Amino acid sequence: MPKYILFQVAGAFMAVTILWILFPESNSFGHTYPAEGFEPYKAFILELLLTFFLMVVIINVSTGSKEIGTMAAIAVGGVILLEAMFAGPMTKASMNPARSLAPAIISGNLQHLWLYLTAPTIGAFLAIMSCKLVKDDNCCDENC
């Protein structure tokens, strides 16, 4: 898991660096923040739920016989699309701490970074715990 986290963060910083090269006049580089008038605690709850539902889908299509084929990719991509489409205007639909970390650091706007680091982490943890409560063996084993 540490390598996965390291590569997620490195990829995020590389993406922001590319954005910085392509669009140097930008001030945000994809920075995530709650919409104007949308309270941070509401954004926290929404980001937690977005990540929870995304991880539940990922866990369920990545275990067992469903893990082979394009249906798993369609299910995960569909959830990301729907969540970004409906929650994007309110919270920018991060669903991934690494996706929010790099733009916040590069843009220097750290005001709501705590929200985008903690809510997805808690949401993912809750998804794993719910999977362990509901499913039998092979749910979120040591490879997860």
Side-chain angles (χ1 to χ4, degrees), residues 57 61 70-80:
V57 170
V61 300
T70 59
M71 291 310 289
I74 291 171
V76 173
V79 169
I80 292 170

Side-chain angles (χ1 to χ4, degrees), residues 45-130:
I45 293 168
L46 188 55
E47 281 292 325
L48 187 145
L49 290 171
L50 292 172
T51 306
F52 174 81
F53 289 121
L54 175 61
M55 287 304 299
V56 165
V57 170
I58 291 171
I59 289 167
N60 281 295
V61 300
S62 65
T63 58
S65 62
K66 299 175 294 290
E67 66 187 62
I68 299 173
T70 59
M71 291 310 289
I74 291 171
V76 173
V79 169
I80 292 170
L81 170 72
L82 289 172
E83 289 185 354
M85 197 165 60
F86 291 107
M90 293 174 275
T91 69
K92 305 298 183 252
S94 174
M95 301 173 277
N96 182 343
R99 184 257 177 271
S100 294
L101 179 66
I105 289 175
I106 298 298
S107 70
N109 191 343
L110 305 174
Q111 182 180 4
H112 299 291
L113 183 58
W114 67 271
L115 183 158
Y116 292 100
L117 294 180
T118 56
T121 303
I122 294 169
F125 176 77
L126 291 174
I128 292 168
M129 291 299 103
S130 70

Side-chain angles (χ1 to χ4, degrees), residues 3-57:
K3 285 182 185 177
Y4 178 78
I5 293 170
L6 175 69
F7 284 109
Q8 281 275 311
V9 172
F13 274 98
M14 287 191 303
V16 172
T17 302
I18 291 169
L19 288 174
W20 185 42
I21 291 168
L22 294 174
F23 308 103
E25 66 281 353
S26 176
N27 294 332
S28 68
F29 306 111
H31 176 66
T32 49
Y33 51 89
E36 183 107 9
F38 198 70
E39 298 293 327
Y41 78 90
K42 291 179 183 178
F44 181 90
I45 293 168
L46 188 55
E47 281 292 325
L48 187 145
L49 290 171
L50 292 172
T51 306
F52 174 81
F53 289 121
L54 175 61
M55 287 304 299
V56 165
V57 170

